[in-house]
Amino acid sequence: MKLTKPLLNRLLSGKEALSEIDKEEVLGHVLKKVIALERPWWTTLKPWGLIATCTAAVLMVTVFHEPPSEFVPRGQNKPSLNLTCTTQGVANDCREGSRLLFKVNPGGFRFFAALARGPAQQTLWYFTQVDLEAHSRDGVLDRAADIGAEHQTGTYEVIGVFSAAPLDKTEVKALVDDPSLKNAQVTRQTLIVKP
Amino acid sequence: MSFFHERRDRLDAFRKGDRNILAEVFYAYVDDVSLVLRRGFRLKEHVVRGVDAIDREKDLVQEVFLRAFDERARLAFNGLLPYGPYLLQIARNLLIDDWRKQGRSPVTDVTQAELGLAPSLEVPADEELEWRRLKEATARYCGHLPIELQTFIQARFELGLSQRDAAIKLGVSRRQIRTWEETVQNGLRANLSMGNTVKDRHETGQK
């Protein structure tokens, strides 16, 4: 029998049942998740964080605007991507140590990949083959990118690729280089990493 | 009697997702839910085994309440039916799914005679023995601790006081409570590891 914390807690409480400490922990997780799921994502930001997000949103400029794909399913919105940087859970400027959150509107596509091209034309891969049905809640991906040392200060082009099927890096790259390829939609956003 | 019986106010608060009511519901049913997950249950002439790891039990308890407290589930609950059986049904389904995910059969066949002899799902004897041995070792370990830690164990673990309440009761800071908690857990782990010859349930192939 592994001497895990729940087992130790039970032994210390003298009862074989779930200890009060474990119950507290479980309830805490449950309430946090249930309540977080019911709040729109922007309400989780503190007021000044919200102001920062709005400011960042205004400053964020879409540098490229792809022509609408004929493969966007009918009746669906066009897929879109919005970026927000947070520091310790609060929206803030993007700089080393921030977390980059992805808010997506799948527009009928199921899979998503994201990469960035930096000031020196270097490519940074964030993720590929993300199943949006499983990994986005209220449109916010449950995966975020940590802005680390690999992100030099400067302007990046963040490219989001929405597709009907999971694509590997080669396929994503081919689509980015030639968006006329079918059955996917490429979106681009600007990300400014500050010093 | 159901938590919501003739309590329209509770039902309304529950459906709105009021934190306090959700917490009350949780504490009203958590022991029953964890018991089903730990001990398993009968399904016609079969016995569905309980989880084989304490961590897993905790995870599944969390999953049961996450499903039950989901907004759609709350709104779908009309308060007329008893809430306990509803929660236990979620727990049973999760337990079966959990065994299946592990690629293992959730059920053990038992004969009618055995069922007749066993009025409830008993703890296997070897498991009972392991538990008793660990409990005795824990009591010995606690007996050798300074009196302040023994008082802390009584408040935090035996009485199940929250960190805040334990801090107030013992007249110390919450930080001190957290430090003691870690000290006691780590000390007990080290102590039991030295004399622990208990085999993992997986290794023994039993429940």
Side-chain angles (χ1 to χ4, degrees):
Chain A
M1 200 180 288
K2 284 178 190 160
L3 296 171
T4 57
K5 222 180 220 183
L7 173 62
L8 296 172
N9 290 343
R10 282 178 199 205
L11 287 166
L12 287 163
S13 71
K15 295 172 210 145
E16 208 181 345
L18 207 61
S19 70
E20 294 303 318
I21 293 182
D22 290 333
K23 285 180 198 172
E24 259 175 37
E25 208 176 295
V26 169
L27 177 63
H29 283 139
V30 169
L31 292 181
K32 199 171 162 189
K33 281 196 181 174
V34 167
I35 289 164
L37 283 177
E38 289 169 21
R39 292 170 67 187
W41 72 291
W42 58 85
T43 63
T44 58
L45 301 171
K46 300 226 163 66
W48 55 273
L50 191 59
I51 293 166
T53 310
C54 295
T55 313
V58 170
L59 293 174
M60 228 176 251
V61 180
T62 308
V63 284
F64 291 98
H65 186 79
E66 293 301 319
S69 162
E70 61 190 279
F71 282 87
V72 174
R74 283 182 188 187
Q76 300 281 354
N77 297 326
K78 189 183 168 207
S80 65
L81 165 67
N82 279 299
L83 305 170
T84 304
C85 274
T86 65
T87 311
Q88 293 181 334
V90 177
N92 214 331
D93 289 334
C94 300
R95 45 172 57 98
E96 193 175 341
S98 304
R99 301 208 84 192
L100 177 60
L101 305 182
F102 296 78
K103 184 163 170 61
V104 295
N105 171 12
F109 290 104
R110 181 166 171 181
F111 292 91
F112 180 69
L115 65 147
R117 283 189 174 153
Q121 285 308 304
Q122 75 274 33
T123 300
L124 300 172
W125 285 94
Y126 294 130
F127 25 67
T128 57
Q129 306 186 349
V130 176
D131 185 344
L132 294 172
E133 284 183 9
H135 294 287
S136 80
R137 288 245 164 101
D138 294 332
V140 182
L141 284 197
D142 62 8
R143 294 169 184 203
D146 289 319
I147 307 284
E150 73 289 347
H151 284 81
Q152 302 160 3
T153 302
T155 303
Y156 288 75
E157 182 188 30
V158 176
I159 305 166
V161 177
F162 295 86
S163 57
L167 305 176
D168 61 26
K169 284 185 181 176
T170 315
E171 292 166 316
V172 170
K173 201 169 170 301
L175 268 164
V176 170
D177 293 334
D178 181 6
S180 65
L181 293 174
K182 306 304 181 191
N183 224 8
Q185 181 83 17
V186 179
T187 59
R188 298 167 197 261
Q189 285 284 4
T190 300
L191 169 73
I192 299 167
V193 177
K194 294 190 173 177
Chain B
M1 186 180 292
S2 174
F3 180 83
F4 299 101
H5 184 67
E6 293 183 356
R7 290 296 302 264
R8 182 73 210 186
D9 55 329
R10 281 183 173 175
L11 179 63
D12 290 342
F14 173 73
R15 296 178 82 181
K16 278 182 196 157
D18 179 284
R19 282 180 77 96
N20 295 330
I21 286 290
L22 294 180
E24 279 188 48
V25 174
F26 174 84
Y27 280 109
Y29 296 105
V30 65
D31 287 332
D32 292 341
V33 167
S34 67
L35 188 68
V36 164
L37 295 169
R38 186 165 64 250
R39 291 275 172 267
F41 59 94
R42 284 187 188 153
L43 187 66
K44 295 182 182 167
E45 70 274 25
H46 303 293
V47 170
V48 176
R49 295 173 291 173
V51 288
D52 59 356
I54 287 174
D55 281 357
R56 199 68 205 122
E57 178 189 334
K58 195 174 155 189
D59 289 345
L60 289 182
V61 168
Q62 184 169 311
E63 190 56 38
V64 169
F65 284 97
L66 273 176
R67 290 191 186 190
F69 288 175
D70 174 79
E71 190 179 22
R72 272 178 298 183
R74 289 199 320 266
L75 293 175
F77 181 64
N78 59 14
L80 298 174
L81 298 169
Y83 197 64
Y86 166 70
L87 275 177
L88 295 183
Q89 193 53 49
I90 298 178
R92 290 187 199 105
N93 293 342
L94 271 175
L95 190 56
I96 292 174
D97 288 348
D98 192 56
W99 282 113
R100 287 187 178 144
K101 271 186 206 159
Q102 294 179 42
R104 297 163 69 184
S105 169
V107 298
T108 307
D109 290 329
V110 289
T111 63
Q112 288 300 326
E114 281 174 318
L115 276 177
L117 289 171
S120 63
L121 298 176
E122 300 292 342
V123 186
D126 59 338
E127 211 172 286
E128 178 71 41
L129 214 61
E130 283 174 20
W131 172 254
R132 204 180 304 157
R133 196 190 66 79
L134 288 172
K135 210 172 151 185
E136 283 166 5
T138 304
R140 278 197 301 277
Y141 164 78
C142 292
H144 287 95
L145 290 174
I147 194 75
E148 64 176 8
L149 283 181
Q150 291 189 28
T151 316
F152 159 73
I153 289 171
Q154 195 184 28
R156 180 78 173 120
F157 292 95
E158 292 173 17
L159 296 176
L161 297 184
S162 65
Q163 283 187 347
R164 185 174 154 273
D165 291 345
I168 293 168
K169 184 180 165 68
L170 302 176
V172 296
S173 64
R174 280 185 72 173
R175 191 177 178 159
Q176 181 64 68
I177 294 289
R178 283 195 289 272
T179 308
W180 279 343
E181 216 169 276
E182 257 179 56
T183 306
V184 167
Q185 286 165 339
N186 293 340
L188 179 60
R189 184 183 288 115
N191 189 284
L192 294 178
S193 298
M194 283 191 291
N196 189 9
T197 54
V198 180
K199 287 179 185 168
D200 194 291
R201 288 180 198 168
H202 288 296
E203 291 165 14
T204 59
Q206 288 163 351
K207 164 181 168 203

